[in-house]
Amino acid sequence: MNKEVRVRFAPSPTGYLHIGGARTAIYNWLFAQKTGGKLILRIEDTDLERSTEESISGIMESLKWLGVVWDEGPYFQSHFIKEHQIAAQKLLDSGHAYKCFCTKEELEHKREKARKNKTSFKYDGACRNLTFEDIAKKVKAQIPYTIRLKVPLKQGSVVFKDIVYGAIERKYEDIEDFVIVRSNGRPLYILSNAVDDTRDRISHVIRGQDGLINTPKQILIYKALDSPVPEFAHMPLTLDSKKAKISKRKHGESVAVHFYKDHGFFPWAFVNFMVLLGWSTSDSRQIFSREELIEAFSLEGINRSNSIFNIRKDDPKFFTDPKAISINEHYLRNLPLEKIEPYIKEELKKTKIWNPAFEGEKHNWFLDTVDLIRSRYHVFTDFGTLGRAYFSEDYPVDPKPLKKNILKHEELKVWFPILADRMEAIEVFTIEETEKVIRNMAEEFGIKAGILINGTRTAVTGQAAGPGIFDILIAIGKNRAADRLRRAVKYFAA
RNA sequence: GUCCCCAUCGUCUAGCCUGGUCCAGGACACCGGCCUUUCACGCCGGCAGCAGGGGUUCAAAUCCCCUUGGGGACGCCA
């Protein structure tokens, strides 16, 4: 029982990696990490019409971004079709399978009839008992045939113990003789998958709950092939806020892993969020480091009910599940600066306001500034938008605070240049000194300091809110701040 | 229609296996307060849930049954 743990993630490359697939990959990876086992990446590309090269590289890129590293592969299922066919032949030879000459049309007709009568359709086994002569005759006549597995006719059931769902039982009589090889000779997923898992010596199959219903069929294949049956762990599905299965077609980009990369998520924060969708520890811990998560993870902690991924659209702050955002915020605020620095750098490069000096002579300033503003941001992209004024001279001014904090007070037209002069006159530009200047000026002119403070904030950062004004002034610097104050006068002209 | 699975705050969940410590705990979101001449962080507080009905039991969120609701699967897709 203490055999080597080998798990696999086996996506079909028909699009980008979406959160359902990502979660499956993460659980497999965690289990491998936890047990010292191996994770195998297998691309199930037997559906040649829908599989694309682009999708394969996209999936691998997303996995890498998440930090899900695999130990073997990628293997390609399409390379092993011969092997699957040999397995089918073996099943035929051993009497576990038979050739079925029923045509698609015949079957569709029977299915249609069943639908009309509101009864369930199950293949009736028409070809199961053909005589040798019949079969030989039909084969000779080149009538195409599929290969079906013989499901035991006797009373009884397939029973297995799912690590998550417990004992699962399915009666033989509820399982039809299912097709394992198409009439064009191409094996079906249900066969290929079992054969591949055997070859890859997979010890645990960890997959979505939608695979649960197939499991009894696959166990029948394993047994007929005399192969060891792996352990199974099915995990609940992730549904959308309308409780529908998440799909690329319906939800588009917002369920794609790369969407979160593009929207400024810290990859580990996203992993942390996703792992909590259907799994938890008994102390309901929320935040895990990589090491803590691997230590805490267990398949038994996976729960059995589906969870909802709360996608919100058209909400500027919560453009996705609020919990995902909040976990990202947590990391954004609490991680050591050098951990998040590369992500911010990438973001500033993307928005074309990156300056190599930020990691050179201005490095300390850069880190201090990031530290100053990060507590009010949600994702890395905010540094290139909301934080633009700190890193670039070219920044937008929000019209609302412009009106409220600047234009409303006509006298600022006069006061800004005076304040600019006084700022420049400060020898040692510190929080204490800037504060002194602003407060003294307010007193001298008989105005509320708030007017000067809020006006200055908007003039210097373009925004209504932000850090304390004196912190801002230090971060922006004496000359830049003075320049911006003088330039702000032009808002009154328009 | 048939089969399989599931059911605790709006959402993610703890508790359920091994009934009593649960007038149900945490997190997110939301609301209020403190801090702050802005906003956020932080801190403090609040709102909100055992789907319904039967049973078993001295005692049920926990065990059993039914109903309802939800999901999945019923392909020569993966």
Side-chain angles (χ1 to χ4, degrees), chain A residues 364-385:
Chain A
N364 285 335
W365 170 85
F366 180 69
L367 294 182
D368 286 346
T369 303
V370 166
D371 199 25
L372 181 66
I373 56 182
R374 65 171 165 170
S375 76
R376 40 217 113 207
Y377 293 172
H378 317 296
V379 284
F380 292 127
T381 44
D382 289 335
F383 286 87
T385 53

PDB file of all heavy atoms in Angstrom, chain A residues 364-385:
ATOM      1  N   ASN A 364      15.958  52.332  -3.400  1.00  0.00           N
ATOM      2  CA  ASN A 364      15.368  52.503  -2.074  1.00  0.00           C
ATOM      3  C   ASN A 364      14.123  53.369  -2.118  1.00  0.00           C
ATOM      4  O   ASN A 364      13.119  53.079  -1.457  1.00  0.00           O
ATOM      5  CB  ASN A 364      16.378  53.120  -1.108  1.00  0.00           C
ATOM      6  CG  ASN A 364      17.415  52.093  -0.695  1.00  0.00           C
ATOM      7  OD1 ASN A 364      17.150  50.881  -0.735  1.00  0.00           O
ATOM      8  ND2 ASN A 364      18.600  52.570  -0.331  1.00  0.00           N
ATOM      9  N   TRP A 365      14.221  54.429  -2.921  1.00  0.00           N
ATOM     10  CA  TRP A 365      13.050  55.294  -3.081  1.00  0.00           C
ATOM     11  C   TRP A 365      11.881  54.503  -3.641  1.00  0.00           C
ATOM     12  O   TRP A 365      10.757  54.604  -3.187  1.00  0.00           O
ATOM     13  CB  TRP A 365      13.383  56.463  -4.038  1.00  0.00           C
ATOM     14  CG  TRP A 365      12.148  57.232  -4.417  1.00  0.00           C
ATOM     15  CD1 TRP A 365      11.580  58.245  -3.712  1.00  0.00           C
ATOM     16  CD2 TRP A 365      11.308  57.003  -5.563  1.00  0.00           C
ATOM     17  NE1 TRP A 365      10.430  58.668  -4.333  1.00  0.00           N
ATOM     18  CE2 TRP A 365      10.236  57.923  -5.479  1.00  0.00           C
ATOM     19  CE3 TRP A 365      11.349  56.111  -6.637  1.00  0.00           C
ATOM     20  CZ2 TRP A 365       9.223  57.989  -6.436  1.00  0.00           C
ATOM     21  CZ3 TRP A 365      10.344  56.172  -7.594  1.00  0.00           C
ATOM     22  CH2 TRP A 365       9.280  57.101  -7.481  1.00  0.00           C
ATOM     23  N   PHE A 366      12.193  53.655  -4.625  1.00  0.00           N
ATOM     24  CA  PHE A 366      11.160  52.854  -5.286  1.00  0.00           C
ATOM     25  C   PHE A 366      10.465  51.942  -4.270  1.00  0.00           C
ATOM     26  O   PHE A 366       9.235  51.910  -4.191  1.00  0.00           O
ATOM     27  CB  PHE A 366      11.796  52.026  -6.398  1.00  0.00           C
ATOM     28  CG  PHE A 366      10.826  51.162  -7.155  1.00  0.00           C
ATOM     29  CD1 PHE A 366       9.875  51.723  -7.982  1.00  0.00           C
ATOM     30  CD2 PHE A 366      10.874  49.773  -7.023  1.00  0.00           C
ATOM     31  CE1 PHE A 366       8.969  50.932  -8.681  1.00  0.00           C
ATOM     32  CE2 PHE A 366       9.969  48.975  -7.709  1.00  0.00           C
ATOM     33  CZ  PHE A 366       9.030  49.552  -8.537  1.00  0.00           C
ATOM     34  N   LEU A 367      11.254  51.250  -3.474  1.00  0.00           N
ATOM     35  CA  LEU A 367      10.661  50.342  -2.495  1.00  0.00           C
ATOM     36  C   LEU A 367       9.840  51.101  -1.451  1.00  0.00           C
ATOM     37  O   LEU A 367       8.746  50.683  -1.081  1.00  0.00           O
ATOM     38  CB  LEU A 367      11.756  49.518  -1.802  1.00  0.00           C
ATOM     39  CG  LEU A 367      12.508  48.529  -2.691  1.00  0.00           C
ATOM     40  CD1 LEU A 367      13.519  47.746  -1.866  1.00  0.00           C
ATOM     41  CD2 LEU A 367      11.549  47.554  -3.386  1.00  0.00           C
ATOM     42  N   ASP A 368      10.363  52.233  -1.008  1.00  0.00           N
ATOM     43  CA  ASP A 368       9.623  53.027  -0.024  1.00  0.00           C
ATOM     44  C   ASP A 368       8.284  53.493  -0.590  1.00  0.00           C
ATOM     45  O   ASP A 368       7.271  53.506   0.104  1.00  0.00           O
ATOM     46  CB  ASP A 368      10.444  54.269   0.391  1.00  0.00           C
ATOM     47  CG  ASP A 368      11.605  53.877   1.301  1.00  0.00           C
ATOM     48  OD1 ASP A 368      11.597  52.728   1.802  1.00  0.00           O
ATOM     49  OD2 ASP A 368      12.514  54.704   1.491  1.00  0.00           O
ATOM     50  N   THR A 369       8.327  53.894  -1.839  1.00  0.00           N
ATOM     51  CA  THR A 369       7.110  54.405  -2.470  1.00  0.00           C
ATOM     52  C   THR A 369       6.077  53.294  -2.639  1.00  0.00           C
ATOM     53  O   THR A 369       4.891  53.482  -2.356  1.00  0.00           O
ATOM     54  CB  THR A 369       7.451  55.040  -3.825  1.00  0.00           C
ATOM     55  OG1 THR A 369       8.415  56.075  -3.614  1.00  0.00           O
ATOM     56  CG2 THR A 369       6.215  55.636  -4.482  1.00  0.00           C
ATOM     57  N   VAL A 370       6.547  52.149  -3.088  1.00  0.00           N
ATOM     58  CA  VAL A 370       5.643  51.003  -3.218  1.00  0.00           C
ATOM     59  C   VAL A 370       5.020  50.690  -1.858  1.00  0.00           C
ATOM     60  O   VAL A 370       3.814  50.473  -1.737  1.00  0.00           O
ATOM     61  CB  VAL A 370       6.411  49.771  -3.752  1.00  0.00           C
ATOM     62  CG1 VAL A 370       5.587  48.500  -3.560  1.00  0.00           C
ATOM     63  CG2 VAL A 370       6.755  49.955  -5.227  1.00  0.00           C
ATOM     64  N   ASP A 371       5.837  50.719  -0.849  1.00  0.00           N
ATOM     65  CA  ASP A 371       5.369  50.419   0.498  1.00  0.00           C
ATOM     66  C   ASP A 371       4.328  51.445   0.959  1.00  0.00           C
ATOM     67  O   ASP A 371       3.370  51.121   1.645  1.00  0.00           O
ATOM     68  CB  ASP A 371       6.564  50.419   1.451  1.00  0.00           C
ATOM     69  CG  ASP A 371       6.236  49.668   2.736  1.00  0.00           C
ATOM     70  OD1 ASP A 371       5.349  48.800   2.698  1.00  0.00           O
ATOM     71  OD2 ASP A 371       6.863  49.975   3.762  1.00  0.00           O
ATOM     72  N   LEU A 372       4.535  52.676   0.546  1.00  0.00           N
ATOM     73  CA  LEU A 372       3.638  53.754   0.950  1.00  0.00           C
ATOM     74  C   LEU A 372       2.243  53.596   0.352  1.00  0.00           C
ATOM     75  O   LEU A 372       1.240  53.886   0.988  1.00  0.00           O
ATOM     76  CB  LEU A 372       4.239  55.096   0.492  1.00  0.00           C
ATOM     77  CG  LEU A 372       3.463  56.371   0.843  1.00  0.00           C
ATOM     78  CD1 LEU A 372       3.444  56.576   2.352  1.00  0.00           C
ATOM     79  CD2 LEU A 372       4.088  57.574   0.139  1.00  0.00           C
ATOM     80  N   ILE A 373       2.185  53.129  -0.873  1.00  0.00           N
ATOM     81  CA  ILE A 373       0.890  53.110  -1.557  1.00  0.00           C
ATOM     82  C   ILE A 373       0.233  51.734  -1.608  1.00  0.00           C
ATOM     83  O   ILE A 373      -0.953  51.621  -1.903  1.00  0.00           O
ATOM     84  CB  ILE A 373       1.014  53.663  -2.999  1.00  0.00           C
ATOM     85  CG1 ILE A 373       2.062  52.893  -3.789  1.00  0.00           C
ATOM     86  CG2 ILE A 373       1.352  55.145  -2.967  1.00  0.00           C
ATOM     87  CD1 ILE A 373       2.285  53.418  -5.207  1.00  0.00           C
ATOM     88  N   ARG A 374       0.961  50.695  -1.310  1.00  0.00           N
ATOM     89  CA  ARG A 374       0.411  49.360  -1.587  1.00  0.00           C
ATOM     90  C   ARG A 374      -0.811  48.998  -0.763  1.00  0.00           C
ATOM     91  O   ARG A 374      -1.606  48.171  -1.178  1.00  0.00           O
ATOM     92  CB  ARG A 374       1.487  48.286  -1.425  1.00  0.00           C
ATOM     93  CG  ARG A 374       2.036  48.116  -0.026  1.00  0.00           C
ATOM     94  CD  ARG A 374       2.910  46.874   0.004  1.00  0.00           C
ATOM     95  NE  ARG A 374       3.766  46.793   1.189  1.00  0.00           N
ATOM     96  CZ  ARG A 374       4.453  45.709   1.501  1.00  0.00           C
ATOM     97  NH1 ARG A 374       4.405  44.650   0.733  1.00  0.00           N
ATOM     98  NH2 ARG A 374       5.208  45.697   2.582  1.00  0.00           N
ATOM     99  N   SER A 375      -0.975  49.592   0.409  1.00  0.00           N
ATOM    100  CA  SER A 375      -2.100  49.157   1.239  1.00  0.00           C
ATOM    101  C   SER A 375      -3.447  49.555   0.654  1.00  0.00           C
ATOM    102  O   SER A 375      -4.466  49.061   1.072  1.00  0.00           O
ATOM    103  CB  SER A 375      -1.971  49.712   2.655  1.00  0.00           C
ATOM    104  OG  SER A 375      -2.322  51.080   2.672  1.00  0.00           O
ATOM    105  N   ARG A 376      -3.434  50.489  -0.302  1.00  0.00           N
ATOM    106  CA  ARG A 376      -4.750  50.810  -0.875  1.00  0.00           C
ATOM    107  C   ARG A 376      -4.995  50.217  -2.244  1.00  0.00           C
ATOM    108  O   ARG A 376      -6.007  50.484  -2.868  1.00  0.00           O
ATOM    109  CB  ARG A 376      -5.049  52.314  -0.851  1.00  0.00           C
ATOM    110  CG  ARG A 376      -4.003  53.207  -1.144  1.00  0.00           C
ATOM    111  CD  ARG A 376      -3.988  54.507  -0.332  1.00  0.00           C
ATOM    112  NE  ARG A 376      -2.810  54.472   0.528  1.00  0.00           N
ATOM    113  CZ  ARG A 376      -2.713  55.105   1.673  1.00  0.00           C
ATOM    114  NH1 ARG A 376      -3.660  55.855   2.100  1.00  0.00           N
ATOM    115  NH2 ARG A 376      -1.616  55.003   2.369  1.00  0.00           N
ATOM    116  N   TYR A 377      -4.092  49.367  -2.696  1.00  0.00           N
ATOM    117  CA  TYR A 377      -4.267  48.757  -4.017  1.00  0.00           C
ATOM    118  C   TYR A 377      -4.743  47.311  -3.907  1.00  0.00           C
ATOM    119  O   TYR A 377      -4.588  46.679  -2.868  1.00  0.00           O
ATOM    120  CB  TYR A 377      -2.950  48.828  -4.797  1.00  0.00           C
ATOM    121  CG  TYR A 377      -2.544  50.247  -5.152  1.00  0.00           C
ATOM    122  CD1 TYR A 377      -1.307  50.517  -5.708  1.00  0.00           C
ATOM    123  CD2 TYR A 377      -3.408  51.317  -4.920  1.00  0.00           C
ATOM    124  CE1 TYR A 377      -0.930  51.815  -6.033  1.00  0.00           C
ATOM    125  CE2 TYR A 377      -3.043  52.607  -5.240  1.00  0.00           C
ATOM    126  CZ  TYR A 377      -1.801  52.858  -5.787  1.00  0.00           C
ATOM    127  OH  TYR A 377      -1.434  54.131  -6.101  1.00  0.00           O
ATOM    128  N   HIS A 378      -5.317  46.847  -4.974  1.00  0.00           N
ATOM    129  CA  HIS A 378      -5.878  45.494  -4.971  1.00  0.00           C
ATOM    130  C   HIS A 378      -5.064  44.518  -5.801  1.00  0.00           C
ATOM    131  O   HIS A 378      -4.930  43.360  -5.464  1.00  0.00           O
ATOM    132  CB  HIS A 378      -7.309  45.517  -5.505  1.00  0.00           C
ATOM    133  CG  HIS A 378      -8.118  46.645  -4.968  1.00  0.00           C
ATOM    134  ND1 HIS A 378      -8.432  46.749  -3.626  1.00  0.00           N
ATOM    135  CD2 HIS A 378      -8.652  47.730  -5.564  1.00  0.00           C
ATOM    136  CE1 HIS A 378      -9.134  47.854  -3.436  1.00  0.00           C
ATOM    137  NE2 HIS A 378      -9.278  48.464  -4.588  1.00  0.00           N
ATOM    138  N   VAL A 379      -4.588  45.005  -6.923  1.00  0.00           N
ATOM    139  CA  VAL A 379      -3.841  44.157  -7.851  1.00  0.00           C
ATOM    140  C   VAL A 379      -2.638  44.941  -8.370  1.00  0.00           C
ATOM    141  O   VAL A 379      -2.584  46.164  -8.237  1.00  0.00           O
ATOM    142  CB  VAL A 379      -4.725  43.719  -9.040  1.00  0.00           C
ATOM    143  CG1 VAL A 379      -5.695  42.629  -8.630  1.00  0.00           C
ATOM    144  CG2 VAL A 379      -5.487  44.903  -9.635  1.00  0.00           C
ATOM    145  N   PHE A 380      -1.712  44.251  -8.975  1.00  0.00           N
ATOM    146  CA  PHE A 380      -0.488  44.914  -9.429  1.00  0.00           C
ATOM    147  C   PHE A 380      -0.755  45.975 -10.500  1.00  0.00           C
ATOM    148  O   PHE A 380      -0.022  46.953 -10.607  1.00  0.00           O
ATOM    149  CB  PHE A 380       0.511  43.890  -9.967  1.00  0.00           C
ATOM    150  CG  PHE A 380       1.064  43.005  -8.898  1.00  0.00           C
ATOM    151  CD1 PHE A 380       1.007  41.621  -9.026  1.00  0.00           C
ATOM    152  CD2 PHE A 380       1.620  43.540  -7.747  1.00  0.00           C
ATOM    153  CE1 PHE A 380       1.510  40.801  -8.028  1.00  0.00           C
ATOM    154  CE2 PHE A 380       2.126  42.735  -6.746  1.00  0.00           C
ATOM    155  CZ  PHE A 380       2.069  41.354  -6.885  1.00  0.00           C
ATOM    156  N   THR A 381      -1.807  45.755 -11.265  1.00  0.00           N
ATOM    157  CA  THR A 381      -2.082  46.726 -12.329  1.00  0.00           C
ATOM    158  C   THR A 381      -2.398  48.105 -11.756  1.00  0.00           C
ATOM    159  O   THR A 381      -2.218  49.109 -12.432  1.00  0.00           O
ATOM    160  CB  THR A 381      -3.278  46.273 -13.194  1.00  0.00           C
ATOM    161  OG1 THR A 381      -4.308  45.812 -12.335  1.00  0.00           O
ATOM    162  CG2 THR A 381      -2.885  45.154 -14.135  1.00  0.00           C
ATOM    163  N   ASP A 382      -2.821  48.159 -10.505  1.00  0.00           N
ATOM    164  CA  ASP A 382      -3.125  49.453  -9.905  1.00  0.00           C
ATOM    165  C   ASP A 382      -1.894  50.353  -9.834  1.00  0.00           C
ATOM    166  O   ASP A 382      -2.014  51.578  -9.825  1.00  0.00           O
ATOM    167  CB  ASP A 382      -3.680  49.255  -8.485  1.00  0.00           C
ATOM    168  CG  ASP A 382      -5.078  48.659  -8.497  1.00  0.00           C
ATOM    169  OD1 ASP A 382      -5.777  48.842  -9.513  1.00  0.00           O
ATOM    170  OD2 ASP A 382      -5.468  48.018  -7.508  1.00  0.00           O
ATOM    171  N   PHE A 383      -0.718  49.746  -9.788  1.00  0.00           N
ATOM    172  CA  PHE A 383       0.492  50.571  -9.705  1.00  0.00           C
ATOM    173  C   PHE A 383       0.705  51.359 -10.990  1.00  0.00           C
ATOM    174  O   PHE A 383       1.262  52.458 -10.960  1.00  0.00           O
ATOM    175  CB  PHE A 383       1.714  49.692  -9.411  1.00  0.00           C
ATOM    176  CG  PHE A 383       1.748  49.209  -7.993  1.00  0.00           C
ATOM    177  CD1 PHE A 383       1.090  48.032  -7.637  1.00  0.00           C
ATOM    178  CD2 PHE A 383       2.390  49.929  -7.010  1.00  0.00           C
ATOM    179  CE1 PHE A 383       1.093  47.583  -6.324  1.00  0.00           C
ATOM    180  CE2 PHE A 383       2.410  49.493  -5.691  1.00  0.00           C
ATOM    181  CZ  PHE A 383       1.747  48.317  -5.346  1.00  0.00           C
ATOM    182  N   GLY A 384       0.260  50.800 -12.084  1.00  0.00           N
ATOM    183  CA  GLY A 384       0.434  51.488 -13.361  1.00  0.00           C
ATOM    184  C   GLY A 384      -0.697  52.460 -13.666  1.00  0.00           C
ATOM    185  O   GLY A 384      -0.594  53.285 -14.562  1.00  0.00           O
ATOM    186  N   THR A 385      -1.798  52.341 -12.919  1.00  0.00           N
ATOM    187  CA  THR A 385      -2.934  53.240 -13.160  1.00  0.00           C
ATOM    188  C   THR A 385      -3.076  54.229 -12.005  1.00  0.00           C
ATOM    189  O   THR A 385      -2.707  55.391 -12.126  1.00  0.00           O
ATOM    190  CB  THR A 385      -4.229  52.421 -13.326  1.00  0.00           C
ATOM    191  OG1 THR A 385      -4.388  51.553 -12.205  1.00  0.00           O
ATOM    192  CG2 THR A 385      -4.171  51.588 -14.592  1.00  0.00           C
TER     193      THR A 385
END
